[in-house]
Amino acid sequence: MPHRTFISFIWPSALAMMLFIALPIVSVAVQSMFIAHEQVIETVENCGPFGCKTVEVVNAEATARLRTDEPLGRFNGAGTYTNRNHLAFKEIGLALAEATGPVDFFGRILNLPFYKALAFTLTYTFIVTPLVIILGFVIALAVNRIPGMFKGPTIFFSLLPMIVTPLIGSLVLFWMIDSKGIIGATLQFLFDNPDLSLKASTTLTWLTLIVYGIWHSAPFAFVVFYAGLQTVPQDTLESAMIDGASRWQRVRHVVIPHLMPLAVFVTLIQLMDNFRVFEPIIGFNAQANATSLSWIIYNDLRGSDGAMLFGSAAATSMLTIIGVCILLAPVVLRTWRANRRAA
Amino acid sequence: MARKSPIWLSVLSLGFLVLWLALASVPFLWTLWGSFKVEADFFSRQDWRNALFGMRTLAETGATSTGLGYEGAWIKEEFWKATINTGIMTLSVVAISLTLGTLGGYALSRSGFRYAFWILIIALVFRAMPHITLVSGYLLPFFELNLWGHLTTTIIVMVAINQPFTLWMLHSFFQNIPKDLDESAMVDGCTRFQAFRYVIIPVMWPGVITTGLFSFLLAYNDFALTGLLLTEENRTMVPKIASFLGNAQEQGNVMYAVAAVVSATAPLFVLVMFFQRQIVSGLTAGAVKG
């Protein structure tokens, strides 16, 4: 296809991506280096019956005018990146100097908002992704054994956790694990502990979110693996059987190698999707015990603590984007090398 | 397979499958059933069977099930508005992203130059961007240009965010359509556009429908964009449900949220029921083509 025709076909799509994906990344990068103007302080002389004294007051009008005139704020360089709410260099330095041991050190670091969110995001990503693959594979093997007429309904119900809106799916589970909901109340009864609550402790909150993540994503892995199972070469399976391979050996040495490329694909998609974990934290109302990178950006942009913190949100966004690139680099490189070898 | 599997394996596998199906479906059935009860039944500390038989619902309303939650959500809290907004948004997003995506995906599948590969790789990187990081790029410019809050803005943004995925998907579908088809049309004197219009469009619908389903799901399920880019009256269903949670402490409001959640899930149920095969083939298309 000549270049001209190619461009005339692709320009609407390319323009959309340019304007609303590439440009916003630039906008994020710029915004991250600015912060809102400080309040305009004026020195006013206050005269009363006991003489005059000068006081400093905030000129609200001038502050508002300055902030509307220059919405971007003032230049702050890398200041936002290094402050307490982001990379917190000073606090880390302090922790390094003062900490009594590694436990104390990590305890201090994990109290900083960015590292707290990063810790949860990474834990979530690296626990959910492998478990999703294993669970999806086992479901696929199990579904593959049942008679054909049951397969349709089984796939229908299996798809639900993935298709349903993440916020809604997490709310549905949240209501069930509520201390007055069916699962929450049953757990209290089973453990004979009326104060048991999955929302109260950090560990249990993390566990809940991870279980939700596996529940939500397992259907995806299942469907992909199930489709892959339909194309497992029957001859290889049969010759393995003739050679006396056990059931497990056939799965291990024929089926799993056949599904390996699919597993790479599922891993790639899952890493991308789990790294942006966000809705379940809202749905489970878990922000007290678990925050993710996406959630702290949302929190800044919502202006929950007063004004909207564009600079702060932008800095976290940049760090998140860098995180995504690091996360994807090995997978992309691998695919690229495989591609080149194939070509 | 010729050999019969041992009985314990069959039992184990079947048991596991039943357990999984229960985990996957019971939460939704439970919530559907519970949405017709009052809060004291749905959240019943003493006895979970209350939610099944609606003992408190009977005491409070005179029947074992009630539509109070739905009435509150749809009429009092105006959930119908959010439903209309979601309808407008999802349909526009699907229509626009498929139009752009088919053109782009077709070009990518037929180009044969190296840059087509790179465009796909860039699209993959864009696909990996958490949506909320892009929102933090939009917000300030949108406020300044007075674009913030409109449904139209959100639709355009969502189309753009949807493009990388749509391009990948349609690109792999178009690669499955033999090149000879449109090239022989061009040998017969068609231009590239005519070949696309008269030869490719008639055969592309299975791929387009599958891709459309996923665009629909992305727009329908989104919270990161809709939660931050829409004004209160332009809210779609998902941010509307999130807003119910803020004032959930008030008596009865939780049941509004439960009713709204069930209402928003219903279309997805229907969708999976009718398009199960397309969804499965779409999920696997990306994987098989790599």
Side-chain angles (χ1 to χ4, degrees), chain B residues 5-34:
Chain B
S5 52
I7 191 83
W8 64 267
L9 189 63
S10 303
V11 171
L12 190 74
S13 150
L14 203 64
F16 170 78
L17 203 57
V18 170
L19 180 71
W20 160 250
L21 285 180
L23 283 177
S25 59
V26 166
F28 298 109
L29 300 176
W30 174 260
T31 310
L32 170 69
W33 183 262

PDB file of all heavy atoms in Angstrom, chain B residues 5-34:
ATOM      1  N   SER B   5     -10.488 -41.869  32.304  1.00  0.00           N
ATOM      2  CA  SER B   5      -9.759 -41.309  33.430  1.00  0.00           C
ATOM      3  C   SER B   5     -10.245 -41.961  34.711  1.00  0.00           C
ATOM      4  O   SER B   5     -11.385 -42.394  34.809  1.00  0.00           O
ATOM      5  CB  SER B   5      -9.967 -39.805  33.491  1.00  0.00           C
ATOM      6  OG  SER B   5     -11.338 -39.518  33.451  1.00  0.00           O
ATOM      7  N   PRO B   6      -9.360 -42.031  35.727  1.00  0.00           N
ATOM      8  CA  PRO B   6      -9.761 -42.648  36.999  1.00  0.00           C
ATOM      9  C   PRO B   6     -10.893 -41.859  37.627  1.00  0.00           C
ATOM     10  O   PRO B   6     -11.019 -40.645  37.429  1.00  0.00           O
ATOM     11  CB  PRO B   6      -8.487 -42.580  37.837  1.00  0.00           C
ATOM     12  CG  PRO B   6      -7.645 -41.544  37.185  1.00  0.00           C
ATOM     13  CD  PRO B   6      -7.991 -41.568  35.742  1.00  0.00           C
ATOM     14  N   ILE B   7     -11.679 -42.560  38.426  1.00  0.00           N
ATOM     15  CA  ILE B   7     -12.898 -41.966  38.956  1.00  0.00           C
ATOM     16  C   ILE B   7     -12.604 -40.800  39.892  1.00  0.00           C
ATOM     17  O   ILE B   7     -13.271 -39.772  39.858  1.00  0.00           O
ATOM     18  CB  ILE B   7     -13.753 -43.059  39.659  1.00  0.00           C
ATOM     19  CG1 ILE B   7     -15.149 -42.526  39.987  1.00  0.00           C
ATOM     20  CG2 ILE B   7     -13.091 -43.605  40.889  1.00  0.00           C
ATOM     21  CD1 ILE B   7     -16.084 -42.620  38.826  1.00  0.00           C
ATOM     22  N   TRP B   8     -11.506 -40.933  40.679  1.00  0.00           N
ATOM     23  CA  TRP B   8     -11.217 -39.858  41.642  1.00  0.00           C
ATOM     24  C   TRP B   8     -10.908 -38.555  40.928  1.00  0.00           C
ATOM     25  O   TRP B   8     -11.254 -37.473  41.381  1.00  0.00           O
ATOM     26  CB  TRP B   8     -10.072 -40.261  42.574  1.00  0.00           C
ATOM     27  CG  TRP B   8      -8.745 -40.472  41.869  1.00  0.00           C
ATOM     28  CD1 TRP B   8      -8.254 -41.639  41.381  1.00  0.00           C
ATOM     29  CD2 TRP B   8      -7.771 -39.474  41.556  1.00  0.00           C
ATOM     30  NE1 TRP B   8      -7.045 -41.438  40.783  1.00  0.00           N
ATOM     31  CE2 TRP B   8      -6.713 -40.114  40.868  1.00  0.00           C
ATOM     32  CE3 TRP B   8      -7.695 -38.099  41.780  1.00  0.00           C
ATOM     33  CZ2 TRP B   8      -5.601 -39.434  40.406  1.00  0.00           C
ATOM     34  CZ3 TRP B   8      -6.570 -37.427  41.322  1.00  0.00           C
ATOM     35  CH2 TRP B   8      -5.535 -38.095  40.646  1.00  0.00           C
ATOM     36  N   LEU B   9     -10.291 -38.663  39.755  1.00  0.00           N
ATOM     37  CA  LEU B   9      -9.941 -37.447  39.019  1.00  0.00           C
ATOM     38  C   LEU B   9     -11.200 -36.766  38.500  1.00  0.00           C
ATOM     39  O   LEU B   9     -11.344 -35.541  38.569  1.00  0.00           O
ATOM     40  CB  LEU B   9      -8.997 -37.801  37.866  1.00  0.00           C
ATOM     41  CG  LEU B   9      -8.387 -36.603  37.164  1.00  0.00           C
ATOM     42  CD1 LEU B   9      -7.520 -35.794  38.112  1.00  0.00           C
ATOM     43  CD2 LEU B   9      -7.579 -37.046  35.963  1.00  0.00           C
ATOM     44  N   SER B  10     -12.130 -37.575  37.996  1.00  0.00           N
ATOM     45  CA  SER B  10     -13.384 -37.005  37.509  1.00  0.00           C
ATOM     46  C   SER B  10     -14.120 -36.295  38.617  1.00  0.00           C
ATOM     47  O   SER B  10     -14.617 -35.175  38.437  1.00  0.00           O
ATOM     48  CB  SER B  10     -14.280 -38.104  36.937  1.00  0.00           C
ATOM     49  OG  SER B  10     -13.612 -38.784  35.922  1.00  0.00           O
ATOM     50  N   VAL B  11     -14.181 -36.945  39.788  1.00  0.00           N
ATOM     51  CA  VAL B  11     -14.903 -36.344  40.907  1.00  0.00           C
ATOM     52  C   VAL B  11     -14.226 -35.046  41.332  1.00  0.00           C
ATOM     53  O   VAL B  11     -14.865 -34.005  41.512  1.00  0.00           O
ATOM     54  CB  VAL B  11     -14.971 -37.337  42.090  1.00  0.00           C
ATOM     55  CG1 VAL B  11     -15.514 -36.649  43.333  1.00  0.00           C
ATOM     56  CG2 VAL B  11     -15.837 -38.527  41.717  1.00  0.00           C
ATOM     57  N   LEU B  12     -12.903 -35.106  41.438  1.00  0.00           N
ATOM     58  CA  LEU B  12     -12.156 -33.921  41.857  1.00  0.00           C
ATOM     59  C   LEU B  12     -12.375 -32.775  40.881  1.00  0.00           C
ATOM     60  O   LEU B  12     -12.672 -31.638  41.273  1.00  0.00           O
ATOM     61  CB  LEU B  12     -10.670 -34.278  41.927  1.00  0.00           C
ATOM     62  CG  LEU B  12      -9.771 -33.233  42.584  1.00  0.00           C
ATOM     63  CD1 LEU B  12      -9.973 -33.253  44.080  1.00  0.00           C
ATOM     64  CD2 LEU B  12      -8.318 -33.483  42.226  1.00  0.00           C
ATOM     65  N   SER B  13     -12.262 -33.082  39.599  1.00  0.00           N
ATOM     66  CA  SER B  13     -12.377 -32.047  38.581  1.00  0.00           C
ATOM     67  C   SER B  13     -13.781 -31.449  38.563  1.00  0.00           C
ATOM     68  O   SER B  13     -13.966 -30.234  38.466  1.00  0.00           O
ATOM     69  CB  SER B  13     -12.006 -32.656  37.230  1.00  0.00           C
ATOM     70  OG  SER B  13     -12.679 -32.024  36.209  1.00  0.00           O
ATOM     71  N   LEU B  14     -14.785 -32.329  38.703  1.00  0.00           N
ATOM     72  CA  LEU B  14     -16.166 -31.852  38.697  1.00  0.00           C
ATOM     73  C   LEU B  14     -16.453 -31.010  39.939  1.00  0.00           C
ATOM     74  O   LEU B  14     -17.073 -29.947  39.858  1.00  0.00           O
ATOM     75  CB  LEU B  14     -17.117 -33.047  38.635  1.00  0.00           C
ATOM     76  CG  LEU B  14     -18.494 -32.733  38.080  1.00  0.00           C
ATOM     77  CD1 LEU B  14     -18.379 -32.288  36.630  1.00  0.00           C
ATOM     78  CD2 LEU B  14     -19.399 -33.957  38.183  1.00  0.00           C
ATOM     79  N   GLY B  15     -15.948 -31.495  41.071  1.00  0.00           N
ATOM     80  CA  GLY B  15     -16.142 -30.745  42.315  1.00  0.00           C
ATOM     81  C   GLY B  15     -15.530 -29.362  42.229  1.00  0.00           C
ATOM     82  O   GLY B  15     -16.145 -28.361  42.612  1.00  0.00           O
ATOM     83  N   PHE B  16     -14.335 -29.310  41.681  1.00  0.00           N
ATOM     84  CA  PHE B  16     -13.650 -28.032  41.541  1.00  0.00           C
ATOM     85  C   PHE B  16     -14.451 -27.094  40.645  1.00  0.00           C
ATOM     86  O   PHE B  16     -14.622 -25.914  40.933  1.00  0.00           O
ATOM     87  CB  PHE B  16     -12.264 -28.274  40.945  1.00  0.00           C
ATOM     88  CG  PHE B  16     -11.564 -27.019  40.530  1.00  0.00           C
ATOM     89  CD1 PHE B  16     -10.956 -26.215  41.478  1.00  0.00           C
ATOM     90  CD2 PHE B  16     -11.533 -26.635  39.205  1.00  0.00           C
ATOM     91  CE1 PHE B  16     -10.320 -25.045  41.099  1.00  0.00           C
ATOM     92  CE2 PHE B  16     -10.908 -25.470  38.821  1.00  0.00           C
ATOM     93  CZ  PHE B  16     -10.305 -24.678  39.769  1.00  0.00           C
ATOM     94  N   LEU B  17     -14.988 -27.651  39.562  1.00  0.00           N
ATOM     95  CA  LEU B  17     -15.736 -26.839  38.609  1.00  0.00           C
ATOM     96  C   LEU B  17     -17.009 -26.286  39.241  1.00  0.00           C
ATOM     97  O   LEU B  17     -17.362 -25.117  39.064  1.00  0.00           O
ATOM     98  CB  LEU B  17     -16.080 -27.687  37.388  1.00  0.00           C
ATOM     99  CG  LEU B  17     -16.360 -26.905  36.116  1.00  0.00           C
ATOM    100  CD1 LEU B  17     -15.183 -26.028  35.771  1.00  0.00           C
ATOM    101  CD2 LEU B  17     -16.665 -27.857  34.992  1.00  0.00           C
ATOM    102  N   VAL B  18     -17.688 -27.136  40.009  1.00  0.00           N
ATOM    103  CA  VAL B  18     -18.912 -26.680  40.685  1.00  0.00           C
ATOM    104  C   VAL B  18     -18.577 -25.558  41.666  1.00  0.00           C
ATOM    105  O   VAL B  18     -19.266 -24.534  41.722  1.00  0.00           O
ATOM    106  CB  VAL B  18     -19.601 -27.862  41.401  1.00  0.00           C
ATOM    107  CG1 VAL B  18     -20.719 -27.367  42.302  1.00  0.00           C
ATOM    108  CG2 VAL B  18     -20.139 -28.843  40.383  1.00  0.00           C
ATOM    109  N   LEU B  19     -17.463 -25.741  42.385  1.00  0.00           N
ATOM    110  CA  LEU B  19     -17.043 -24.702  43.328  1.00  0.00           C
ATOM    111  C   LEU B  19     -16.772 -23.392  42.601  1.00  0.00           C
ATOM    112  O   LEU B  19     -17.219 -22.316  43.016  1.00  0.00           O
ATOM    113  CB  LEU B  19     -15.789 -25.170  44.069  1.00  0.00           C
ATOM    114  CG  LEU B  19     -15.240 -24.194  45.097  1.00  0.00           C
ATOM    115  CD1 LEU B  19     -16.160 -24.133  46.299  1.00  0.00           C
ATOM    116  CD2 LEU B  19     -13.828 -24.573  45.514  1.00  0.00           C
ATOM    117  N   TRP B  20     -16.062 -23.463  41.489  1.00  0.00           N
ATOM    118  CA  TRP B  20     -15.744 -22.258  40.727  1.00  0.00           C
ATOM    119  C   TRP B  20     -17.025 -21.591  40.216  1.00  0.00           C
ATOM    120  O   TRP B  20     -17.182 -20.372  40.300  1.00  0.00           O
ATOM    121  CB  TRP B  20     -14.794 -22.575  39.576  1.00  0.00           C
ATOM    122  CG  TRP B  20     -14.821 -21.523  38.514  1.00  0.00           C
ATOM    123  CD1 TRP B  20     -15.327 -21.631  37.263  1.00  0.00           C
ATOM    124  CD2 TRP B  20     -14.345 -20.165  38.618  1.00  0.00           C
ATOM    125  NE1 TRP B  20     -15.207 -20.447  36.588  1.00  0.00           N
ATOM    126  CE2 TRP B  20     -14.603 -19.523  37.400  1.00  0.00           C
ATOM    127  CE3 TRP B  20     -13.735 -19.430  39.646  1.00  0.00           C
ATOM    128  CZ2 TRP B  20     -14.275 -18.193  37.157  1.00  0.00           C
ATOM    129  CZ3 TRP B  20     -13.419 -18.102  39.405  1.00  0.00           C
ATOM    130  CH2 TRP B  20     -13.681 -17.496  38.181  1.00  0.00           C
ATOM    131  N   LEU B  21     -17.943 -22.399  39.676  1.00  0.00           N
ATOM    132  CA  LEU B  21     -19.184 -21.822  39.152  1.00  0.00           C
ATOM    133  C   LEU B  21     -19.964 -21.128  40.260  1.00  0.00           C
ATOM    134  O   LEU B  21     -20.557 -20.068  40.046  1.00  0.00           O
ATOM    135  CB  LEU B  21     -20.034 -22.898  38.493  1.00  0.00           C
ATOM    136  CG  LEU B  21     -19.527 -23.352  37.132  1.00  0.00           C
ATOM    137  CD1 LEU B  21     -20.439 -24.416  36.559  1.00  0.00           C
ATOM    138  CD2 LEU B  21     -19.428 -22.178  36.175  1.00  0.00           C
ATOM    139  N   ALA B  22     -19.939 -21.725  41.458  1.00  0.00           N
ATOM    140  CA  ALA B  22     -20.626 -21.088  42.576  1.00  0.00           C
ATOM    141  C   ALA B  22     -19.968 -19.752  42.896  1.00  0.00           C
ATOM    142  O   ALA B  22     -20.650 -18.733  43.054  1.00  0.00           O
ATOM    143  CB  ALA B  22     -20.591 -22.009  43.798  1.00  0.00           C
ATOM    144  N   LEU B  23     -18.629 -19.753  42.944  1.00  0.00           N
ATOM    145  CA  LEU B  23     -17.917 -18.506  43.241  1.00  0.00           C
ATOM    146  C   LEU B  23     -18.217 -17.437  42.191  1.00  0.00           C
ATOM    147  O   LEU B  23     -18.330 -16.252  42.498  1.00  0.00           O
ATOM    148  CB  LEU B  23     -16.409 -18.762  43.266  1.00  0.00           C
ATOM    149  CG  LEU B  23     -15.862 -19.440  44.497  1.00  0.00           C
ATOM    150  CD1 LEU B  23     -14.368 -19.694  44.328  1.00  0.00           C
ATOM    151  CD2 LEU B  23     -16.094 -18.560  45.712  1.00  0.00           C
ATOM    152  N   ALA B  24     -18.347 -17.867  40.939  1.00  0.00           N
ATOM    153  CA  ALA B  24     -18.517 -16.902  39.862  1.00  0.00           C
ATOM    154  C   ALA B  24     -19.933 -16.365  39.783  1.00  0.00           C
ATOM    155  O   ALA B  24     -20.136 -15.228  39.369  1.00  0.00           O
ATOM    156  CB  ALA B  24     -18.115 -17.541  38.527  1.00  0.00           C
ATOM    157  N   SER B  25     -20.921 -17.173  40.146  1.00  0.00           N
ATOM    158  CA  SER B  25     -22.288 -16.729  39.892  1.00  0.00           C
ATOM    159  C   SER B  25     -23.080 -16.384  41.142  1.00  0.00           C
ATOM    160  O   SER B  25     -23.933 -15.495  41.103  1.00  0.00           O
ATOM    161  CB  SER B  25     -23.033 -17.801  39.101  1.00  0.00           C
ATOM    162  OG  SER B  25     -23.038 -18.999  39.831  1.00  0.00           O
ATOM    163  N   VAL B  26     -22.814 -17.071  42.266  1.00  0.00           N
ATOM    164  CA  VAL B  26     -23.648 -16.842  43.450  1.00  0.00           C
ATOM    165  C   VAL B  26     -23.646 -15.381  43.910  1.00  0.00           C
ATOM    166  O   VAL B  26     -24.707 -14.845  44.230  1.00  0.00           O
ATOM    167  CB  VAL B  26     -23.244 -17.813  44.589  1.00  0.00           C
ATOM    168  CG1 VAL B  26     -23.851 -17.372  45.906  1.00  0.00           C
ATOM    169  CG2 VAL B  26     -23.688 -19.213  44.246  1.00  0.00           C
ATOM    170  N   PRO B  27     -22.480 -14.684  43.925  1.00  0.00           N
ATOM    171  CA  PRO B  27     -22.542 -13.285  44.366  1.00  0.00           C
ATOM    172  C   PRO B  27     -23.577 -12.461  43.600  1.00  0.00           C
ATOM    173  O   PRO B  27     -24.288 -11.655  44.194  1.00  0.00           O
ATOM    174  CB  PRO B  27     -21.128 -12.770  44.086  1.00  0.00           C
ATOM    175  CG  PRO B  27     -20.277 -13.967  44.202  1.00  0.00           C
ATOM    176  CD  PRO B  27     -21.097 -15.103  43.677  1.00  0.00           C
ATOM    177  N   PHE B  28     -23.680 -12.714  42.290  1.00  0.00           N
ATOM    178  CA  PHE B  28     -24.626 -11.923  41.494  1.00  0.00           C
ATOM    179  C   PHE B  28     -26.068 -12.333  41.779  1.00  0.00           C
ATOM    180  O   PHE B  28     -26.950 -11.478  41.912  1.00  0.00           O
ATOM    181  CB  PHE B  28     -24.315 -12.063  40.013  1.00  0.00           C
ATOM    182  CG  PHE B  28     -22.957 -11.558  39.666  1.00  0.00           C
ATOM    183  CD1 PHE B  28     -21.944 -12.433  39.323  1.00  0.00           C
ATOM    184  CD2 PHE B  28     -22.668 -10.207  39.728  1.00  0.00           C
ATOM    185  CE1 PHE B  28     -20.680 -11.966  39.031  1.00  0.00           C
ATOM    186  CE2 PHE B  28     -21.411  -9.729  39.451  1.00  0.00           C
ATOM    187  CZ  PHE B  28     -20.414 -10.610  39.092  1.00  0.00           C
ATOM    188  N   LEU B  29     -26.296 -13.644  41.878  1.00  0.00           N
ATOM    189  CA  LEU B  29     -27.655 -14.113  42.164  1.00  0.00           C
ATOM    190  C   LEU B  29     -28.096 -13.639  43.543  1.00  0.00           C
ATOM    191  O   LEU B  29     -29.233 -13.209  43.740  1.00  0.00           O
ATOM    192  CB  LEU B  29     -27.712 -15.642  42.077  1.00  0.00           C
ATOM    193  CG  LEU B  29     -27.321 -16.205  40.713  1.00  0.00           C
ATOM    194  CD1 LEU B  29     -27.307 -17.727  40.731  1.00  0.00           C
ATOM    195  CD2 LEU B  29     -28.270 -15.709  39.636  1.00  0.00           C
ATOM    196  N   TRP B  30     -27.172 -13.708  44.493  1.00  0.00           N
ATOM    197  CA  TRP B  30     -27.457 -13.276  45.860  1.00  0.00           C
ATOM    198  C   TRP B  30     -27.864 -11.790  45.876  1.00  0.00           C
ATOM    199  O   TRP B  30     -28.833 -11.391  46.513  1.00  0.00           O
ATOM    200  CB  TRP B  30     -26.219 -13.511  46.718  1.00  0.00           C
ATOM    201  CG  TRP B  30     -26.302 -12.986  48.107  1.00  0.00           C
ATOM    202  CD1 TRP B  30     -25.762 -11.818  48.556  1.00  0.00           C
ATOM    203  CD2 TRP B  30     -26.950 -13.596  49.215  1.00  0.00           C
ATOM    204  NE1 TRP B  30     -26.032 -11.662  49.884  1.00  0.00           N
ATOM    205  CE2 TRP B  30     -26.762 -12.741  50.315  1.00  0.00           C
ATOM    206  CE3 TRP B  30     -27.668 -14.775  49.379  1.00  0.00           C
ATOM    207  CZ2 TRP B  30     -27.271 -13.034  51.573  1.00  0.00           C
ATOM    208  CZ3 TRP B  30     -28.171 -15.062  50.634  1.00  0.00           C
ATOM    209  CH2 TRP B  30     -27.981 -14.205  51.708  1.00  0.00           C
ATOM    210  N   THR B  31     -27.088 -10.977  45.150  1.00  0.00           N
ATOM    211  CA  THR B  31     -27.379  -9.545  45.140  1.00  0.00           C
ATOM    212  C   THR B  31     -28.682  -9.260  44.405  1.00  0.00           C
ATOM    213  O   THR B  31     -29.470  -8.400  44.817  1.00  0.00           O
ATOM    214  CB  THR B  31     -26.216  -8.791  44.486  1.00  0.00           C
ATOM    215  OG1 THR B  31     -25.003  -9.226  45.089  1.00  0.00           O
ATOM    216  CG2 THR B  31     -26.343  -7.297  44.686  1.00  0.00           C
ATOM    217  N   LEU B  32     -28.922  -9.997  43.331  1.00  0.00           N
ATOM    218  CA  LEU B  32     -30.183  -9.821  42.592  1.00  0.00           C
ATOM    219  C   LEU B  32     -31.362 -10.107  43.503  1.00  0.00           C
ATOM    220  O   LEU B  32     -32.313  -9.322  43.592  1.00  0.00           O
ATOM    221  CB  LEU B  32     -30.201 -10.771  41.384  1.00  0.00           C
ATOM    222  CG  LEU B  32     -31.524 -10.905  40.645  1.00  0.00           C
ATOM    223  CD1 LEU B  32     -31.848  -9.604  39.929  1.00  0.00           C
ATOM    224  CD2 LEU B  32     -31.494 -12.048  39.654  1.00  0.00           C
ATOM    225  N   TRP B  33     -31.296 -11.237  44.223  1.00  0.00           N
ATOM    226  CA  TRP B  33     -32.371 -11.611  45.136  1.00  0.00           C
ATOM    227  C   TRP B  33     -32.498 -10.578  46.258  1.00  0.00           C
ATOM    228  O   TRP B  33     -33.601 -10.109  46.570  1.00  0.00           O
ATOM    229  CB  TRP B  33     -32.092 -13.011  45.701  1.00  0.00           C
ATOM    230  CG  TRP B  33     -33.164 -13.528  46.598  1.00  0.00           C
ATOM    231  CD1 TRP B  33     -33.172 -13.500  47.952  1.00  0.00           C
ATOM    232  CD2 TRP B  33     -34.397 -14.142  46.196  1.00  0.00           C
ATOM    233  NE1 TRP B  33     -34.323 -14.054  48.417  1.00  0.00           N
ATOM    234  CE2 TRP B  33     -35.102 -14.461  47.367  1.00  0.00           C
ATOM    235  CE3 TRP B  33     -34.965 -14.441  44.953  1.00  0.00           C
ATOM    236  CZ2 TRP B  33     -36.340 -15.070  47.351  1.00  0.00           C
ATOM    237  CZ3 TRP B  33     -36.213 -15.057  44.931  1.00  0.00           C
ATOM    238  CH2 TRP B  33     -36.891 -15.366  46.115  1.00  0.00           C
ATOM    239  N   GLY B  34     -31.349 -10.207  46.827  1.00  0.00           N
ATOM    240  CA  GLY B  34     -31.358  -9.284  47.960  1.00  0.00           C
ATOM    241  C   GLY B  34     -31.821  -7.886  47.605  1.00  0.00           C
ATOM    242  O   GLY B  34     -32.283  -7.139  48.468  1.00  0.00           O
TER     243      GLY B  34
END
